[in-house]
Amino acid sequence: MSDNVASAGLPIAITMGDPAGIGPEIVAKAFLQAPELTRGCFVVGDLGTLRRAAAALAVPGGVSLPVALIARAEEVAGLPPHCLPLLQAIEVPQGVVTGQVGAAAGKAAGDSVVWAARAALAGQVAAIVTAPLHKESLAAAGFPFPGHTELLQAEAAAHLGRPLAEVPVRMMLANDELRTVLVSIHMSLRQAIDAVHREGVLDTIRIAHRALGAALGRAPRIGVAGLNPHAGEGGLFGSEEREVIAPAIAAARAEGIDAQGPHAPDTVFMRARATPDKAGEFDVVIAMYHDQGLIPVKYLGVDKGVNVTLGLPLVRTSPDHGTAFDIAGTGRADPASLIEAIRMARSLAPGALRGA
């Protein structure tokens, strides 16, 4: 995490997401439903888009949500409660069609993230929370990144003046019951299998150890999943566990990290799950590829899942779902995961502005 978050009284920036998706709706709902949590936050995006989203939530005799235009992040501290502060950091998007992929929507979403990332890296905000963007729209707008994580990694590397490879990042998906950190993120399954190498697994264990240690205030217990069924069954079902994963775990343990495995991937997540009746055996599970780690977390409830990017010199969280084009504009989007993402961002950024 960044040293920047130690600065007291900094606001949290929430990017509006893809304007053709549910991002603006869940952002407006979060400010309406959780004003005590969103106080001290502001939205980076388009004024007209957020005003339309807020207006769509209005009911006769109900509480309205005014959208207040701000010019600088620090203005948030002086605003009255029960409003949505909006910083127009992007061009007004033209030709956005609700529920459809489009370059204009992708540009608005991507530009919002770039502004928020640079503000966080410059120490102007305590954390960023990103509403969902659509990867096809992002690509149509000319962004050479498959998603938020890779875009933020590139911004951090440019800010630090380092090659991209020297700013390794990992995705952590978390809820109240389970945390998982991924060795690889957005790539084909065939490429993800090739990405399981000793240094990649070891770097993932190290990043999880540092990040979770800071969050928990103690050394985390790390369980490492195998790649193959039954964790290779002694080499009968694959050699990656014996030749790659186990040596990475041994190297991590030699550094004093509490890492164990490789464990069978079909049972390690159950062993790590924390319930009201018992604590999990592990604080976090290292998964070898995207779906191996995300399916168990999402199965426990998409509405409570939060995506946290580890390894960046800033705090970034996001809801554990996409743009939901199929329900965009219907008023049915659930802001629960975004609200949890804001809550987690506050927990990871103790210097965030709390408001009145």
Side-chain angles (χ1 to χ4, degrees), residues 20-79:
I22 63 171
E25 178 185 339
I26 61 172
V27 168
K29 283 181 174 178
F31 275 83
L32 191 62
Q33 296 178 17
E36 75 292 341
L37 189 65
T38 55
R39 181 82 169 127
C41 301
F42 70 98
V43 180
V44 183
D46 174 57
L47 179 64
T49 300
L50 266 297
R51 280 188 171 162
R52 286 190 293 273
L57 304 180
V59 294
V63 177
S64 63
L65 180 67
V67 179
L69 184 65
I70 62 173
R72 297 180 304 279
E74 57 265 30
E75 293 177 23
V76 173
L79 291 177

Side-chain angles (χ1 to χ4, degrees), residues 18-312:
D18 191 307
I22 63 171
E25 178 185 339
I26 61 172
V27 168
K29 283 181 174 178
F31 275 83
L32 191 62
Q33 296 178 17
E36 75 292 341
L37 189 65
T38 55
R39 181 82 169 127
C41 301
F42 70 98
V43 180
V44 183
D46 174 57
L47 179 64
T49 300
L50 266 297
R51 280 188 171 162
R52 286 190 293 273
L57 304 180
V59 294
V63 177
S64 63
L65 180 67
V67 179
L69 184 65
I70 62 173
R72 297 180 304 279
E74 57 265 30
E75 293 177 23
V76 173
L79 291 177
H82 307 296
C83 71
L84 188 159
L86 185 288
L87 195 150
Q88 182 80 42
I90 63 171
E91 296 177 4
V92 176
Q94 303 289 340
V96 173
V97 180
T98 299
Q100 292 187 18
V101 171
K107 184 177 189 309
D111 286 348
S112 298
V113 176
V114 169
W115 188 96
R118 292 176 181 176
L121 291 165
Q124 298 168 0
V125 299
I128 64 175
V129 179
T130 58
L133 54 71
H134 197 284
K135 295 175 177 58
E136 287 185 54
S137 295
L138 191 69
F143 286 90
F145 308 104
H148 277 114
T149 304
E150 296 83 357
L151 191 162
L152 292 167
Q153 180 188 24
E155 286 294 326
H159 176 80
L160 296 170
R162 299 178 188 169
L164 202 62
E166 292 184 12
V167 187
V169 298
R170 296 294 187 272
M171 178 189 292
M172 180 175 78
L173 266 290
N175 57 31
D176 292 340
E177 300 178 63
L178 184 64
R179 302 182 188 93
T180 183
V181 177
L182 312 181
V183 171
S184 63
I185 307 176
H186 299 121
M187 58 180 65
S188 73
L189 180 57
R190 189 177 302 279
Q191 290 174 314
I193 291 170
D194 292 338
V196 177
H197 52 80
R198 180 183 178 279
E199 284 306 311
V201 175
L202 179 56
D203 278 347
T204 306
I205 295 171
R206 287 169 172 159
I207 291 170
H209 172 76
R210 288 195 299 268
L212 265 296
L216 297 174
R218 59 172 172 81
R221 302 162 299 154
I222 300 174
V224 183
L227 173 67
N228 298 296
H230 302 185
E233 197 71 70
L236 292 175
F237 303 150
S239 61
E240 287 86 358
E241 285 78 10
R242 183 176 56 198
E243 297 175 359
V244 175
I245 303 172
I249 295 170
R253 290 182 65 83
E255 296 175 9
I257 297 173
D258 183 2
Q260 301 178 36
H263 297 294
D266 60 350
T267 57
V268 67
F269 298 98
M270 291 185 289
R271 293 168 62 183
R273 182 184 179 188
T275 68
D277 300 324
K278 66 177 184 65
E281 190 175 336
F282 308 111
D283 295 304
V284 63
V285 175
I286 305 299
M288 292 300 113
Y289 57 93
H290 185 278
D291 285 8
Q292 185 189 60
L294 267 60
I295 289 172
V297 177
K298 292 191 175 187
Y299 180 77
L300 293 173
V302 172
D303 59 332
K304 293 296 183 183
V306 177
N307 176 6
V308 184
T309 305
L310 306 182
L312 291 171

